Amino acid sequence: MNVAFIPVRGGSKSIPLKNIRPISGRPLVYWTVRAACGCSAIDRVYVATDSDKIRETVESFQRGVEAKLFSKVEVIGRSAESASDTASTESAMLEFAEQYDFDNIVLIQATSPLLTAEDLDRGFEAYAKEGTDSVLSVVRQKRFHWAEDAEGVAYPTNYDVYHRPRRQEFDGYLVENGAFYICSKEDLLRTKNRVSGRIRAVEMNEDTFFEIDEPSDWVIIEALMKKNGITAPEELPDIKMFLTDCDGCLTDGGMYYSEHGDELKKFNTRDGMGFGLLRAKGIVTGIVTSESVDLNRRRAEKLKLDILEAGCRDKVEAVKRLAEERGIPMEQICYIGDDINDVEVLKLVGYGCAPADARPEAIEAARYVTKAKGGEGVIREVVDRILSNKGENKHE
């Protein structure tokens, strides 16, 4: 059995509780745990910590939108001795090896959020090669190194100063990036070291040279994560109330008139189904609109909505009142709006959304902007996201 071992302690002098400090929208430890869970060669992922707060954070991953992926994870304790400032990582590995059964172990450092499941897959492929006892991750660097002799005279250590190679002709050298190490339990216990014997190196992206040790590293690595497309699925609030503006959201914002002067609007049937799906889950639904026309009332009645706030001059006040009446916190309310009178509500609620063709002010204030334009299934698109977040199957 192959296991991943991720030691994360609560005490960190440079950055307190850095292992659960958010980076790119998730706790730092999330990224390496997710990479380990995504590696097909790893059977079980153990996160060892001395902190109850870290334990709670990691266990929360198993209740989110990626709960199935994180089913491999088990959070375990570690002794105070192995979590001290002076303790080696090997001490934590050996403590773990004496208590748990496994064949091979990959040590993963939580301070390497650029690590991916694909990197770990390649690591195990290298480990499976004949004549390999252990594996470590590295990056290739093409820099010219110098040292000083006893008299302070500098000299090059990795190239001939009289024959300076061009970068494209320079093989460079390999540097440990600290992301992961693979070895057998037997070798770990025998040598008391994370690598031993015949060692293979697995190259990773040069960006992974950076680890998080100091506060300044945060900005650098967050930018590198964005550059490398390392993102996580959106975690939505547990929505209990779903409200929307009418024109421009439920409709395309157009006003149609018959030859007899009757006002007409075009609604989307998929949105109607979306409201039905929400109602079946016990989510309060409603329309909050500045208009006060009978057409909107009839549509709300047909959709069996719980709320119709018509002729609304102050949408913020209206939404606050509805939340208080229903006993629903603002963070559990979804609101869809498309114009400037919706902006403050979009900022106020837990999940503010805007159609693709909404006013720029509304788009900027929204947490999510739909692919659909107003009247083309905006409500259904948002409903599907909410139900997917709750682990429900979407219906056609």
Side-chain angles (χ1 to χ4, degrees):
M1 179 171 71
N2 297 328
V3 302
F5 179 69
I6 307 177
V8 283
R9 63 192 186 96
S12 174
K13 290 185 177 180
S14 59
I15 309 174
L17 283 174
K18 73 175 179 180
N19 290 305
I20 55 173
R21 178 176 166 179
I23 183 167
S24 292
R26 290 289 192 277
L28 175 60
V29 69
Y30 162 90
W31 299 101
T32 46
V33 173
R34 188 177 76 156
C37 288
C39 174
S40 58
I42 295 174
D43 301 299
R44 195 76 181 149
V45 178
Y46 292 93
V47 178
T49 185
D50 60 331
S51 165
D52 289 338
K53 198 164 186 178
I54 292 176
R55 175 185 288 274
E56 292 169 6
T57 299
V58 174
E59 289 178 344
S60 73
F61 303 158
Q62 298 175 315
R63 299 189 294 273
V65 69
E66 296 176 286
K68 186 175 181 180
L69 172 64
F70 285 104
S71 62
K72 287 184 181 183
V73 179
E74 181 177 345
V75 185
I76 61 175
R78 59 189 291 190
S79 67
E81 292 76 20
S82 72
S84 69
D85 289 336
T86 57
S88 67
T89 301
E90 271 78 4
S91 68
M93 295 177 71
L94 290 167
E95 183 179 77
F96 169 74
E98 289 164 0
Q99 299 176 29
Y100 291 84
D101 292 326
F102 59 89
D103 298 307
N104 305 299
I105 182 172
V106 52
L107 166 67
I108 298 176
Q109 309 275 38
T111 51
S112 301
L114 290 165
L115 176 70
T116 67
E118 291 73 21
D119 294 324
L120 293 168
D121 285 334
R122 291 190 297 110
F124 277 98
E125 287 172 8
Y127 185 63
K129 290 181 179 178
E130 188 176 350
T132 304
D133 295 312
S134 53
V135 169
L136 78 164
S137 60
V138 299
V139 294
R140 186 175 296 275
Q141 297 229 317
K142 295 187 176 184
R143 300 177 185 274
F144 300 127
H145 276 198
W146 288 70
E148 290 181 335
D149 63 18
E151 297 179 355
V153 177
Y155 60 93
T157 60
N158 66 343
Y159 81 108
D160 181 352
V161 70
Y162 296 106
H163 298 88
R164 178 185 293 267
R166 294 187 302 168
R167 181 178 175 84
Q168 58 267 39
E169 297 168 345
F170 184 37
D171 290 336
Y173 53 92
L174 302 179
V175 182
E176 283 188 47
N177 65 354
F180 70 87
Y181 304 83
I182 306 174
C183 68
S184 68
K185 178 179 182 178
E186 180 183 352
D187 285 343
L188 173 63
L189 292 173
R190 178 177 56 82
T191 67
K192 302 188 186 316
N193 203 56
R194 67 187 75 180
V195 289
S196 61
R198 291 161 295 187
I199 304 169
R200 288 189 186 274
V202 173
E203 285 190 47
M204 290 175 57
N205 186 309
E206 188 177 1
D207 290 342
T208 63
F209 172 78
F210 295 95
E211 292 183 86
I212 292 183
D213 292 314
E214 301 298 331
S216 58
D217 297 331
W218 227 266
V219 177
I220 296 171
I221 291 191
E222 204 158 32
L224 290 172
M225 291 175 75
K226 184 176 181 180
K227 169 194 164 189
N228 287 283
I230 298 177
T231 59
E234 182 182 21
E235 288 280 0
L236 275 63
D238 183 17
I239 299 300
K240 300 296 185 184
M241 181 186 288
F242 185 100
L243 303 172
T244 181
D245 182 25
C246 186
D247 291 331
C249 297
L250 281 166
T251 76
D252 60 7
M255 305 293 286
Y256 305 90
Y257 295 90
S258 72
E259 60 181 5
H260 301 294
D262 298 318
E263 184 178 305
L264 307 173
K265 296 183 181 183
K266 184 179 72 172
F267 295 92
N268 193 294
T269 57
R270 291 194 297 276
D271 288 342
M273 174 63 79
F275 279 118
L277 294 172
L278 293 175
R279 187 170 58 252
K281 300 302 175 185
I283 297 174
V284 177
T285 57
I287 295 174
V288 179
T289 176
S290 57
E291 269 201 322
S292 183
V293 295
D294 190 55
L295 190 57
N296 291 342
R297 180 188 59 78
R298 293 202 304 272
R299 184 59 178 167
E301 289 176 352
K302 183 171 183 178
L303 294 174
K304 299 180 181 179
L305 303 186
D306 302 292
I307 296 166
L308 173 60
E309 283 285 323
C312 185
R313 294 185 177 181
D314 187 340
K315 292 190 176 184
V316 169
E317 185 281 328
V319 172
K320 284 182 177 178
R321 173 172 45 79
L322 292 170
E324 186 175 351
E325 290 173 356
R326 302 278 176 163
I328 298 174
M330 282 295 168
E331 59 266 23
Q332 291 186 308
I333 297 177
C334 172
Y335 180 82
I336 305 177
D338 72 305
D339 215 327
I340 56 175
N341 61 340
D342 298 305
V343 169
E344 294 307 314
V345 185
L346 291 170
K347 294 177 180 178
L348 178 70
V349 299
Y351 196 52
C353 304
D357 57 345
R359 286 282 307 173
E361 298 92 333
I363 288 175
E364 184 177 352
R367 180 170 164 184
Y368 176 70
V369 178
T370 64
K371 296 178 178 62
K373 295 180 180 180
E376 296 181 0
V378 167
I379 279 68
R380 181 59 183 277
E381 182 177 332
V382 177
V383 168
D384 283 348
R385 291 179 69 82
I386 291 172
L387 296 185
S388 293
N389 186 66
K390 288 177 175 287
E392 304 289 348
N393 291 324
K394 294 184 284 187
H395 300 275
E396 295 302 327

